[in-house]
Amino acid sequence: MNKNTLIGFALMALVLFGYSVLQQPSSEQIEAQRIQDSLIQAKKSEAKAEQENAEATYKAKALQAMAEDSTALFYTSFKGKEQHIVLKNDKIELSLSTLGAAPKKAKLLHFENINEEEGITLFEGNEQELNFLLAGKTTNISTAQMYFEPSEVTDSTVTFTATASNGGSVVLKYVLGKDYLVHLSLQVNALSGMFAPDYREMGIEWREHCRQQERGFMFENRYATLTYKEKDGSTDYLSESSSTIDEAIENRLDWVAFKNQFFSAVLISKDDFSAQALLSSIPEEKPKEDVGKNGVTYLKQYQAKLKTAFDPTGQKASEFELYIGPNDFRLLQDVEEQSTFNKDLELQQLVYLGWPLFRIINRWFTLYVFDWLTGFGFNMGIVLILITLLLKAITYPLVKKTYLNSAKMRVLKPKIEEATKEYNKPEDQMMKQQAMMRMYSQYGVSPLSGCLPMLIQMPIWIAMFNFVPNAIQLRGQSFLWIDDLSTYDPIIEWNTQIWLIGDHLSLTCILFCISNILYSIITMRQQKDQMVGQQAEQLKMMQWMMYLMPLMFFFMFNDYSSGLNFYYFISLFFSAAIMWLLRKTTNDKKLLEILEAKYKENKNNPKKMSGLAARLEAMQKEAEELRKRREGMNK
């Protein structure tokens, strides 16, 4: 890594840190802002309450109007007692209500909740609502307001029927598969006369309050998104950091997902959706208590208003599939094969693996290595260590070659300094640089290869940055002092939020920063040993900037998962160990002898010198002539 690259990294870190410090307000400004925020918050709360009351009134009136419209036809279906039918297999229990014939509770059986109790409840009661809307010529049907009669009930199937006064009916049927996939169909019988001749689409309103399931509200909230897939296209999602409504989705959709970090509810349509509106809203402020201490807290509120194909004659059912389960890449691939819609759903896109380059690394390397290692039954902490060692083994030959190149520059340093001492004036630095480059070329050394270790590691680091927080296999897995590799590992916690730090100190984050400092020291020493003249002086000035980078990483990663911090800690530790080992096993004397032999060979046969060396020699001659002319003019 050359001087300019080091300076660039250091300046970026310094700018980020300086910006954060400069933006910190004074105590008087904080107090004034607190008072102003209180007033604004009070006004917002009042306005929000008024808006919620208005929306509730509007919704109640709309539902009442729908109920009144369909009461004459479905008068028996607006009276009844709510019952719950439970579909279950060895992985999920799905409770369906006769009021609305919709899911009311989903419990995943083989996952622990935040209180380390068996089973995770993704939603319950009114936390999720699924409503089908049928607009007739004079009568509107809203399934959420109707009581259905259950029949054909087994552990995996149930049929809900709402009967009309004319003998017609609305029928919803649920069939639970072997995993987390539910097949759902909606069909009407003997009701074609109530719809307009050109009526071919029905409306769907789907809502959910997305529960917090993991420790650390802010970190989990980063990965909670309303995601959707366009038909014959790619997936996309609404902003995870702000409240967003999207009413301009022109392409038809295969599915819509209400997603949090490790679990999702996905609604899939056989005949595609047209999206009227998709909405994702976040709480106004972070909850003061973690989930599980004082009840349920929510990450986001999701809403999807959709339309899909509907056959009013009843000859064809509107078919859907509902996936309620974990965001497990391989499992989602298997579930897609279980789908009966014969569509390229790409449900595995719910597991975010990064931008295209990093997704390729994770998709075709990290995942296979991860599956292979977990197949042996290793602890997940051991798996992360083995992945690190494998990556170090793969990159070792290139790292070694790069280190040897820097070692060559180190042993040549006295010769370079002696040969370029005549260019010590500030105005001669360009000629000095050219002379150095020419000598390096004559000795067969490339000073530009010092950045290769960083260039090799950065794509892998970024790929793992996306992979580890989304790997559900790490959830709840302990290793050494770490209780859960998928979230932070606090060495100490407190009740109040501290600016830039939060309410805890993560031990793996501290270890990562320490190993970063160690690696920076080794790297800086290596750079110092090979730099000549003013370069060495400039390196001294920027050392403290390089040591600020681990501090920056601490503020960034204190909230991140301990698995990710542990991987970075192990990776940097082994990188530092490799650099130390290479330094100890390199014989400078023998290396210098090899370089001298190379120099003599190039000197005796100039044609063997690289084109770069020839160009540098020509440039040096021109610079030398320019210097002599300038000296002549000064005389």
Side-chain angles (χ1 to χ4, degrees):
M1 185 183 300
N2 60 25
K3 176 191 66 176
N4 292 334
T5 304
L6 288 172
I7 294 174
F9 279 118
L11 289 178
M12 284 190 291
L14 184 62
V15 168
L16 289 173
F17 183 76
Y19 180 78
S20 300
V21 172
L22 292 175
Q23 292 298 309
Q24 185 177 14
S26 65
S27 58
E28 293 81 4
Q29 291 174 322
I30 292 175
E31 180 62 22
Q33 186 64 40
R34 186 189 66 80
I35 297 173
Q36 184 179 0
D37 288 346
S38 299
L39 295 174
I40 294 174
Q41 187 62 39
K43 292 180 180 179
K44 283 185 177 180
S45 299
E46 183 179 352
K48 183 180 179 182
E50 292 178 357
Q51 182 180 0
E52 289 177 349
N53 290 335
E55 290 176 353
T57 302
Y58 175 79
K59 181 179 178 181
K61 289 181 178 179
L63 293 175
Q64 183 180 0
M66 287 185 178
E68 290 173 354
D69 283 344
S70 52
T71 298
L73 189 61
F74 288 92
Y75 66 92
T76 58
S77 297
F78 284 89
K79 296 179 182 180
K81 183 177 180 181
E82 185 177 12
Q83 303 176 48
H84 290 90
I85 308 298
V86 178
L87 305 183
K88 61 181 179 181
N89 54 29
D90 61 344
K91 296 181 179 179
I92 184 175
E93 289 183 359
L94 183 64
S95 179
L96 304 167
S97 173
T98 56
L99 177 58
K104 283 297 178 183
K105 181 180 180 180
K107 185 176 182 180
L108 308 185
L109 301 179
H110 298 302
F111 296 92
E112 290 185 351
N113 62 23
I114 200 168
N115 295 320
E116 299 183 356
E117 300 168 343
E118 189 70 20
I120 276 187
T121 300
L122 293 189
F123 58 83
E124 185 174 10
N126 293 327
E127 291 175 349
Q128 186 178 116
E129 299 176 6
L130 179 60
N131 185 20
F132 296 96
L133 304 170
L134 305 175
K137 291 183 289 186
T138 59
T139 302
N140 295 322
I141 299 175
S142 170
T143 59
Q145 303 301 305
M146 301 164 61
Y147 288 91
F148 289 75
E149 186 68 26
S151 61
E152 303 174 358
V153 179
T154 68
D155 282 346
S156 60
T157 63
V158 61
T159 300
F160 291 105
T161 305
T163 305
S165 58
N166 67 350
S169 61
V170 178
V171 180
L172 284 87
K173 185 173 183 178
Y174 289 83
V175 179
L176 176 62
K178 66 176 183 178
D179 289 317
Y180 303 93
L181 194 66
V182 182
H183 189 86
L184 165 62
S185 63
L186 184 149
Q187 192 169 12
V188 298
N189 299 312
L191 294 177
S192 59
M194 69 171 289
F195 301 104
D198 59 347
Y199 185 71
R200 291 292 183 270
E201 280 193 324
M202 67 175 176
I204 301 172
E205 290 186 353
W206 190 32
R207 300 180 180 88
E208 181 180 309
H209 287 69
C210 181
R211 283 190 175 195
Q212 180 185 351
Q213 302 287 358
E214 317 301 329
R215 175 197 285 173
F217 179 92
M218 298 302 293
F219 185 70
E220 185 181 2
N221 201 48
R222 291 188 185 106
Y223 297 93
T225 59
L226 191 156
T227 307
Y228 57 90
K229 179 186 178 294
E230 296 180 349
K231 179 178 174 61
D232 300 325
S234 60
T235 59
D236 203 349
Y237 57 90
L238 302 187
S239 173
E240 70 276 14
S241 59
S242 62
S243 296
T244 306
I245 183 169
D246 194 337
E247 298 176 331
I249 301 176
E250 298 179 356
N251 296 329
R252 295 186 67 83
L253 309 179
D254 283 328
W255 50 259
V256 176
F258 295 163
K259 174 183 176 293
N260 63 8
Q261 185 177 3
F262 292 123
F263 305 96
S264 292
V266 188
L267 184 61
I268 308 163
S269 174
K270 182 177 183 179
D271 298 308
D272 316 325
F273 293 118
S274 61
Q276 307 302 299
L278 300 177
L279 172 66
S280 173
S281 58
I282 60 176
E284 292 185 357
E285 59 181 15
K286 177 184 179 297
K288 296 181 180 179
E289 298 290 343
D290 281 339
V291 62
K293 294 181 179 180
N294 289 327
V296 176
T297 56
Y298 300 108
L299 299 171
K300 289 183 173 71
Q301 295 178 15
Y302 297 135
Q303 182 176 350
K305 293 184 178 181
L306 311 166
K307 283 190 174 183
T308 193
F310 171 70
D311 181 9
T313 67
Q315 295 180 8
K316 178 183 176 183
S318 297
E319 296 185 66
F320 309 90
E321 285 174 337
L322 189 61
Y323 174 81
I324 304 174
N327 300 329
D328 184 317
F329 192 94
R330 299 303 185 195
L331 174 62
L332 289 168
Q333 286 182 317
D334 292 341
V335 167
E336 183 166 332
E337 293 179 0
Q338 298 170 27
S339 173
T340 60
F341 294 166
N342 194 29
K343 300 174 75 171
D344 186 14
L345 297 175
E346 297 185 14
L347 289 172
Q348 64 271 20
Q349 295 279 357
L350 289 169
V351 182
Y352 183 69
L353 298 179
W355 290 351
L357 171 62
F358 312 119
R359 181 174 182 82
I360 290 172
I361 295 173
N362 284 326
R363 174 67 181 86
W364 301 108
F365 176 78
T366 311
L367 268 171
Y368 283 98
V369 173
F370 190 79
D371 292 342
W372 175 59
L373 293 175
T374 53
F376 291 103
F378 293 134
N379 178 278
M380 288 301 157
I382 300 296
V383 169
L384 291 175
I385 294 175
L386 293 176
I387 289 177
T388 306
L389 289 174
L390 179 61
L391 291 171
K392 295 301 178 186
I394 293 173
T395 58
Y396 177 78
L398 189 53
V399 170
K400 181 179 179 180
K401 183 178 180 180
T402 303
Y403 172 80
L404 288 177
N405 194 77
S406 65
K408 293 174 183 178
M409 294 173 66
R410 182 180 71 247
V411 299
L412 287 175
K413 180 179 177 179
K415 291 181 176 293
I416 299 293
E417 288 180 335
E418 178 65 24
T420 60
K421 63 182 180 180
E422 60 179 306
Y423 303 113
N424 286 332
K425 297 179 181 179
E427 62 270 19
D428 294 336
Q429 291 306 303
M430 178 64 71
M431 290 183 290
K432 182 173 185 176
Q433 191 73 17
Q434 291 172 352
M436 290 169 54
M437 294 293 289
R438 181 175 181 277
M439 287 193 66
Y440 284 139
S441 181
Q442 289 173 333
Y443 280 98
V445 177
S446 174
L448 302 179
S449 63
C451 295
L452 283 178
M454 179 63 71
L455 295 177
I456 296 168
Q457 293 184 71
M458 285 305 294
I460 298 173
W461 271 43
I462 298 174
M464 293 299 288
F465 177 84
N466 290 296
F467 178 81
V468 173
N470 290 290
I472 193 172
Q473 292 83 354
L474 298 179
R475 186 181 186 275
Q477 296 295 308
S478 60
F479 181 66
L480 299 177
W481 69 90
I482 305 170
D483 294 329
D484 186 349
L485 285 165
S486 69
T487 186
Y488 59 81
D489 57 322
I491 189 174
I492 186 173
E493 294 182 274
W494 51 87
N495 294 326
T496 57
Q497 291 286 324
I498 297 179
W499 181 67
L500 291 179
I501 296 178
D503 58 1
H504 66 276
L505 291 178
S506 174
L507 180 55
T508 51
C509 181
I510 294 173
L511 291 176
F512 161 43
C513 294
I514 291 174
S515 64
N516 202 348
I517 293 173
L518 174 63
Y519 185 73
S520 296
I521 291 173
I522 294 176
T523 303
M524 297 295 286
R525 285 182 177 176
Q526 178 179 318
Q527 295 293 325
K528 181 180 179 180
D529 290 342
Q530 68 189 44
M531 288 185 174
V532 178
Q534 290 188 353
Q535 290 182 339
E537 296 300 321
Q538 292 171 353
L539 185 64
K540 292 180 181 179
M541 296 172 59
M542 61 177 291
Q543 279 182 347
W544 65 273
M545 298 183 189
M546 297 300 297
Y547 296 144
L548 278 178
M549 292 184 69
L551 181 63
M552 293 293 300
F553 285 139
F554 170 76
F555 293 132
M556 292 171 59
F557 286 89
N558 190 46
D559 257 347
Y560 273 70
S561 68
S562 54
L564 182 64
N565 280 319
F566 180 73
Y567 166 76
Y568 284 159
F569 160 62
I570 292 297
S571 179
L572 280 170
F573 176 82
F574 283 127
S575 293
I578 289 171
M579 298 298 285
W580 179 84
L581 181 63
L582 288 172
R583 179 65 184 265
K584 290 296 182 181
T585 56
T586 300
N587 189 319
D588 289 0
K589 184 178 179 181
K590 290 183 178 180
L591 186 60
L592 183 58
E593 292 174 357
I594 294 173
L595 292 173
E596 291 290 358
K598 183 71 173 178
Y599 177 78
K600 290 179 181 178
E601 181 182 355
N602 288 334
K603 188 175 181 180
N604 294 331
N605 188 4
K607 292 183 179 180
K608 287 190 176 183
M609 291 178 60
S610 66
L612 175 62
R615 289 193 297 270
L616 288 173
E617 185 174 8
M619 291 173 61
Q620 186 180 17
K621 289 181 179 179
E622 291 179 4
E624 183 67 21
E625 291 176 1
L626 179 63
R627 184 176 69 86
K628 289 180 178 179
R629 285 200 302 268
R630 187 169 61 242
E631 290 178 351
M633 292 175 62
N634 292 334
K635 291 180 180 178

